[in-house]
Amino acid sequence: MSISGKVDPVVRPVAVTDIAEALVEGLRDFQALPLYGVCFGALYAAGGIAIMLCLTAFGMVYLVYPLAAGFALIGPFVAIGLYEVSRRRERGEPVSFGAIWSAIRSRSEIGWMAFVTLFVFVVWMYQVRLLIALLLGLNASFSSLQEFMTVVLTTNEGLLFLAIGNAVGAVLSLILFSLTVVSFPLLLDRDVDFVTAMVTSVRAVVVSPLPMISWAALIVMLLIVSALPYFLGLVVTLPVLGHATWHLYRRLVAPVV
């Protein structure tokens, strides 16, 4: 039983083939309703560009790489509109921006999940700044991203920063992935509390560890690569991954009988 007194969702194991099939179905959703995918993808990319411009304006351009890596952490939150598009298409219901917004707004628990997601992203950015201060110097500052990468790749302190930073990032990514991969779709699909949604999400990862970790690695890799060309690749990558996540959720969580 969940903390709300309702029966916990039933989690089913999945295989790597389910991930491949979910990706194909996600691509079909994007092809069927490209406008929504492009809009949400563009919104995600615009957010990345805006943050990058702010970092540049404040002379912190060296944080662009950590930002691109950490930006994948908030992907599940931004993609929530895409889950609703796939849900409506699956049910044969009309799709519109108004309907999507109404569905999201009606689920108050989504706000708590959004807080969890953004909190982890803030923790990621702060730990990057802390590692820079500890390993590269308390007042470390770099005039360009190239200068930063040169220091990181050619000095012992820089290589240590890269190793620790990537290790911490991997742990944070895995934690947030485990908490959110099923949570957001589940909160849209059913009337459950956000704690139950997170517990169900973690259970889904525990039940199928290898396929789910493979899915997490694929998401992070694709989002980072897509973010490198000024975040523009996210316009296509995010919607396909978002729609695919919905279809994977449908395989992971058994429907209510």
Side-chain angles (χ1 to χ4, degrees):
M1 299 289 287
S2 66
I3 64 173
S4 61
K6 300 177 182 178
V7 178
D8 285 331
V10 177
V11 173
R12 301 179 292 194
V14 295
V16 175
T17 53
D18 290 297
I19 293 176
E21 291 171 3
L23 275 170
V24 171
E25 292 175 341
L27 182 59
R28 288 173 181 164
D29 281 355
F30 179 53
Q31 291 174 330
L33 297 165
L35 174 62
Y36 299 95
V38 169
C39 285
F40 284 109
L43 178 65
Y44 190 44
I49 292 172
I51 296 176
M52 184 175 66
L53 291 176
C54 289
L55 292 177
T56 302
F58 286 104
M60 302 172 70
V61 69
Y62 54 90
L63 290 178
V64 169
Y65 167 71
L67 169 66
F71 209 57
L73 297 174
I74 62 175
F77 169 49
V78 180
I80 192 168
L82 298 165
Y83 308 152
E84 179 62 13
V85 171
S86 290
R87 188 181 77 91
R88 287 180 170 272
R89 182 168 183 262
E90 180 182 282
R91 297 185 177 189
E93 298 177 358
V95 181
S96 68
F97 286 108
I100 294 170
W101 173 244
S102 296
I104 295 173
R105 189 175 56 180
S106 66
R107 303 293 189 182
S108 59
E109 296 291 317
I110 289 176
W112 289 107
M113 279 307 307
F115 173 78
V116 172
T117 302
L118 294 176
F119 175 77
V120 174
F121 178 70
V122 171
V123 170
W124 160 252
M125 294 304 295
Y126 266 102
Q127 70 87 23
V128 168
R129 193 66 187 94
L130 177 62
L131 286 177
I132 289 176
L134 291 176
L135 299 176
L136 303 183
L138 187 60
N139 299 313
S141 181
F142 306 91
S143 59
S144 67
L145 180 60
Q146 182 178 359
E147 181 184 349
F148 172 70
M149 294 306 295
T150 299
V151 171
V152 167
L153 297 175
T154 60
T155 66
N156 292 333
E157 294 82 4
L159 292 173
L160 183 61
F161 163 78
L162 194 63
I164 296 176
N166 285 335
V168 173
V171 172
L172 287 176
S173 296
L174 182 58
I175 291 173
L176 190 59
F177 171 80
S178 300
L179 292 174
T180 61
V181 63
V182 164
S183 298
F184 283 111
L186 181 59
L187 289 171
L188 271 177
D189 195 36
R190 303 185 193 179
D191 184 19
V192 298
D193 58 87
F194 82 101
V195 175
T196 298
M198 288 193 295
V199 171
T200 303
S201 190
V202 172
R203 286 168 53 213
V205 175
V206 172
V207 168
S208 306
L210 183 57
M212 295 307 292
I213 291 177
S214 299
W215 177 235
L218 179 63
I219 290 175
V220 172
M221 180 184 69
L222 289 177
L223 289 182
I224 290 178
V225 171
S226 300
L228 293 180
Y230 300 99
F231 297 92
L232 298 180
L234 296 171
V235 175
V236 174
T237 304
L238 180 75
V240 173
L241 291 176
H243 291 309
T245 298
W246 170 263
H247 292 289
L248 185 58
Y249 152 76
R250 297 292 283 157
R251 287 170 164 75
L252 284 164
V253 180
V256 178
V257 179

